[in-house]
Amino acid sequence: MIEQHDNLAAEFELYYMNGVQMLASIIDPNMLYAEWGRATGKTEGVMGPRLIRVANDMPGELSFLVHKTYVALMTNVWPNIQAYFSRPVIVNGRQRAMLEYGVDYVVGETRLPSHFRLPRYPVSYAKHSVIFRNGAHLQLVSSDQPESVAGRNAVHAFIEEMKHNSGEKLKSRLFPSLRGGSAEIRKSAYYEGVTGVSDTARVDLGEDDWFEDYEQGMNRELIEEIASVSLAVNKSMYRQFVLTREMRETKNPVAMERIRLEQQQLAVFLARWRPRLADMRRNAVYYIRASSFRNKDILGPKFFKTQLDTLDMDEFLTAICGVRHKEVTNKFFAAYDKARHQFKDSYVYDAILGHDLKDKFTLTARYLRHYDRRESLYVGYDPGAFSSMIVGQKKDYGRQLDIIKEFWAYYPEEQDSLAQQFYQFFGADAQDKVVHLYPDRAGNKRREELEQITTDSRALKAALEGYGFSVILHNEGAATIYHWQQFKLCLMLFGEQRNFLPRVRICENECKNLCSAILISPLVKKGNSIELDKSSEKKEPLKRQAGLTTQLPSAMIYLLYGLYGDIAKSDLSTFPTDLPDNTAI
């Protein structure tokens, strides 16, 4: 919320900031880590202002804007920051953007406007760079491609959504690139600094909580001293502005002499304390942890009521309240190892880097590194009010299965929506249009359930065929699979102890909900019975089920069992004689 001040010139405006935004602005240290809840204003209160201050303080220098993937940077992160730059302000009585494109900054330009200062170093990736008129240079960097900063020297790193980045890669590959700069630049409080924002990491969903380590490295006494000096310096700078206004408006010589004397005193104070403040900030790490309730005055009680009604309690405690949720135990996918079974090299970056930030970029299968347009697609399908699809391809002559994409839809959207998503992602790129569809094996379902599953599967088959795919529908009339059989097959596949079974690898970028749901799919033991606890599917509202329930893992199980159940039939046909009846999928 911005409004022009009634009594002061247009250069100063009232700008609403919540408590933690004010703290970030007042302390403004070399390293700022903000672990803030949802809707606390991380872009408006931290990332945007710090980008501008760093650019102003170190003209001509290179900084990095970092996220886990280029795709996220191009489709989400940069558009949000550019929207902040376009925030309307009043200057000399007229409204304009806070930063005007072509005047204050440009994006993806190889030729800079004539009034721009050239960056100190040549711009290596112009299509993925933001250049400010003073030569400050912001390069987009994905932490899944840390080699892209090799040989580059930057002065500051801005990290979006820290929980989605690999802390190990940032610390070993990116942070060592924060070096260089002239002697004058090294005096900046932001030199070799970091600005990171994120909500609280859910370790149980596979998110990385690496940034929490910096909370222990904060010198609280230094932060308190910075706050005291910063407030005094800001007050003096503001007073200087007021005195300048008064000097222009008065003709009283006595008043003019009083103003000059006070201005001299303020100049002496600022000359003494501004360098000291910069020195204190240069050595400061500030970790701010805050829940969404910090912004309660703006969000209002309805926001929290809505969040409480729509989120499960774990998600509400983490995303809104900032409660740290650690890894769960007693998992259904007992042998699943995130480090081994997930891959990060998802994209063909040579093709993606051909686009610049001015283009509207749409991700399709052609940009997936692990997609082969000449090979068939294998799809696991879990129908119902929340419908989900898992898409895989066989690799290495069948010795590996790569799961490369997930889709879902919920009521009232059904098979037509899933088929449309599938076509938009794969349709234009696939040479092999064959789809092997593996829905639920519903042999022991009630007649009504069996008919519904059969109807849904055939409807999806028809919808996909309407887009030109040739669909082979499997599992109709197949025998029931029980939870102990699912558990045993997954244990064999992810344990990788059987030479006759393939390796299974999952794309953690394009199947992020599947990856998170696998880690929180619980195992329930009732005597000798083994069950997949699917109670989350009843607790979660439909729109929240993708990453927080067993829906997507169930679709994956249908695919895995359809492909490899017969190969491992002898292992899956034996169970203890005292094993009670198990609940089927």
Side-chain angles (χ1 to χ4, degrees):
M1 181 177 68
I2 305 167
E3 57 183 86
Q4 187 173 354
H5 198 290
D6 292 332
N7 301 318
L8 298 177
E11 288 89 340
F12 272 81
E13 296 183 343
L14 292 181
Y15 177 56
Y16 174 81
M17 302 179 79
N18 60 41
V20 287
Q21 289 174 333
M22 285 190 286
L23 285 172
S25 178
I26 291 167
I27 305 302
D28 203 22
N30 179 265
M31 292 190 175
L32 175 62
Y33 297 92
E35 180 190 343
W36 295 2
R38 188 173 299 171
T40 44
K42 292 184 281 288
T43 299
E44 297 83 357
V46 177
M47 194 60 69
R50 289 270 288 190
L51 276 167
I52 294 172
R53 289 200 291 269
V54 168
N56 283 336
D57 209 48
M58 293 185 283
E61 297 297 329
L62 170 66
S63 297
F64 295 141
L65 177 61
V66 186
H67 197 280
K68 181 179 179 180
T69 68
Y70 263 109
V71 173
L73 285 166
M74 295 176 68
T75 60
N76 185 30
V77 174
W78 170 245
N80 286 339
I81 291 174
Q82 190 166 32
Y84 172 78
F85 287 171
S86 302
R87 179 173 64 88
V89 296
I90 305 296
V91 177
N92 296 326
R94 72 176 184 90
Q95 181 174 294
R96 54 158 284 180
M98 182 172 60
L99 296 184
E100 291 187 344
Y101 187 87
V103 176
D104 301 305
Y105 74 100
V106 293
V107 176
E109 300 282 358
T110 54
R111 298 182 63 181
L112 299 178
S114 59
H115 67 285
F116 273 46
R117 169 182 167 179
L118 292 177
R120 188 161 71 94
Y121 291 113
V123 179
S124 298
Y125 302 97
K127 289 184 177 181
H128 297 92
S129 296
V130 181
I131 312 294
F132 297 90
R133 66 179 178 183
N134 67 354
H137 169 201
L138 186 66
Q139 177 186 324
L140 273 61
V141 174
S142 60
S143 62
D144 66 346
Q145 266 204 323
E147 63 275 7
S148 64
V149 302
R152 304 287 284 166
N153 296 336
V155 295
H156 200 91
F158 298 89
I159 308 173
E160 278 276 358
E161 290 295 341
M162 294 185 289
K163 67 180 185 179
H164 293 313
N165 290 270
S166 166
E168 185 275 327
K169 285 189 176 181
L170 291 177
K171 293 175 182 178
S172 63
R173 306 289 291 277
L174 181 76
F175 290 174
S177 298
L178 302 179
R179 59 182 185 264
S182 65
E184 189 64 27
I185 291 299
R186 291 170 186 263
K187 296 177 183 178
S188 169
Y190 308 110
Y191 177 70
E192 292 186 345
V194 174
T195 302
V197 299
S198 181
D199 54 11
T200 300
R202 283 195 63 174
V203 178
D204 60 324
L205 299 184
E207 296 169 351
D208 195 334
D209 61 352
W210 63 271
F211 50 93
E212 294 177 11
D213 295 341
Y214 290 92
E215 189 172 15
Q216 305 304 317
M218 183 172 61
N219 185 332
R220 295 185 180 276
E221 183 177 350
L222 175 59
I223 296 301
E224 290 173 0
E225 291 178 358
I226 290 174
S228 299
V229 176
S230 177
L231 288 170
V233 167
N234 287 349
K235 182 178 179 181
S236 298
M237 293 172 63
Y238 181 73
R239 181 61 181 163
Q240 274 191 327
F241 169 76
V242 173
L243 290 174
T244 301
R245 284 288 310 273
E246 291 180 358
M247 178 68 82
R248 289 202 300 262
E249 293 173 358
T250 186
K251 296 181 180 179
N252 187 325
V254 176
M256 294 173 67
E257 183 62 26
R258 175 188 59 78
I259 292 172
R260 273 194 293 266
L261 179 61
E262 188 175 353
Q263 285 178 325
Q264 291 173 359
Q265 293 171 341
L266 290 170
V268 170
F269 176 86
L270 291 172
R272 176 184 300 165
W273 284 103
R274 288 180 73 175
R276 294 180 181 179
L277 177 60
D279 188 56
M280 287 191 287
R281 284 172 166 164
R282 193 179 302 114
N283 296 285
V285 176
Y286 189 33
Y287 194 102
I288 319 178
R289 186 179 173 195
S291 73
S292 300
F293 289 95
R294 271 293 192 172
N295 211 21
K296 63 183 184 302
D297 294 337
I298 294 299
L299 297 173
K302 188 175 185 299
F303 170 84
F304 297 98
K305 176 66 165 58
T306 300
Q307 297 300 311
L308 187 59
D309 291 343
T310 57
L311 302 181
D312 77 306
M313 186 51 66
D314 284 341
E315 185 72 4
F316 181 83
L317 291 174
T318 304
I320 303 301
C321 303
V323 176
R324 291 169 178 168
H325 199 89
K326 299 306 179 184
E327 194 166 2
V328 299
T329 57
N330 206 30
K331 301 174 184 175
F332 186 84
F333 298 92
Y336 186 84
D337 179 17
K338 175 186 174 184
R340 178 195 294 181
H341 297 115
Q342 295 177 199
F343 61 84
K344 301 180 175 67
D345 60 333
S346 309
Y347 305 111
V348 182
Y349 275 117
D350 289 344
I352 293 176
L353 294 176
H355 297 267
D356 62 44
L357 292 179
K358 296 182 293 183
D359 297 336
K360 178 177 174 53
F361 175 75
T362 301
L363 181 68
T364 64
R366 65 172 298 195
Y367 299 108
L368 296 187
R369 181 177 301 278
H370 295 264
Y371 169 63
D372 188 339
R373 60 201 305 253
R374 297 162 298 182
E375 295 293 332
S376 302
L377 294 168
Y378 294 84
V379 177
Y381 172 47
D382 186 16
F386 183 97
S387 302
S388 55
M389 294 169 59
I390 296 299
V391 184
Q393 280 191 319
K394 294 180 179 180
K395 301 293 175 64
D396 192 20
Y397 301 100
R399 289 192 288 267
Q400 180 162 317
L401 177 72
D402 286 347
I403 298 177
I404 57 176
K405 187 63 178 174
E406 62 183 27
F407 300 99
W408 72 89
Y410 51 86
Y411 184 82
E413 294 183 347
E414 295 181 316
Q415 291 79 22
D416 288 342
S417 175
L418 283 175
Q420 183 181 41
Q421 293 177 53
F422 189 91
Y423 171 74
Q424 289 174 346
F425 195 80
F426 289 106
D429 303 306
Q431 286 183 356
D432 188 323
K433 297 279 189 178
V434 175
V435 175
H436 293 269
L437 183 62
Y438 293 87
D440 185 2
R441 289 177 175 232
N444 74 330
K445 300 287 186 181
R446 298 194 314 270
R447 178 179 177 182
E448 295 81 2
E449 294 177 300
L450 176 59
E451 289 178 351
Q452 185 62 56
I453 291 172
T454 302
T455 299
D456 289 344
S457 301
R458 291 178 178 177
L460 179 60
K461 177 180 186 292
L464 289 170
E465 288 176 338
Y467 285 108
F469 294 97
S470 176
V471 181
I472 302 172
L473 180 59
H474 300 268
N475 287 358
E476 281 197 315
T480 301
I481 56 173
Y482 295 95
H483 281 259
W484 69 269
Q485 292 174 308
Q486 302 169 41
F487 176 80
K488 195 169 183 179
L489 178 64
C490 290
L491 194 65
M492 293 164 60
L493 282 166
F494 293 120
E496 300 183 4
Q497 300 297 315
R498 302 289 199 280
N499 292 331
F500 58 85
L501 288 174
R503 300 179 301 273
V504 178
R505 297 294 183 264
I506 305 175
C507 176
E508 69 175 40
N509 293 310
E510 291 305 309
C511 302
K512 59 184 178 182
N513 291 289
L514 172 63
C515 291
S516 67
I518 285 174
L519 295 175
I520 58 170
S521 293
L523 173 70
V524 176
K525 291 184 178 180
K526 298 178 180 178
N528 290 328
S529 172
I530 295 175
E531 297 180 13
L532 173 61
D533 184 354
K534 306 185 79 171
S535 60
S536 58
E537 298 178 14
K538 298 179 180 178
K539 296 176 182 177
E540 293 290 339
L542 291 175
K543 65 180 180 179
R544 298 288 302 169
Q545 289 195 8
L548 298 175
T549 72
T550 53
Q551 300 276 20
L552 286 165
S554 293
M556 180 185 71
I557 288 172
Y558 303 146
L559 175 60
L560 296 179
Y561 211 99
L563 288 173
Y564 309 116
D566 289 341
I567 299 175
K569 183 178 293 185
S570 61
D571 291 272
L572 300 177
S573 62
T574 58
F575 55 90
T577 57
D578 60 346
L579 188 69
D581 291 338
N582 283 266
T583 306
I585 272 187

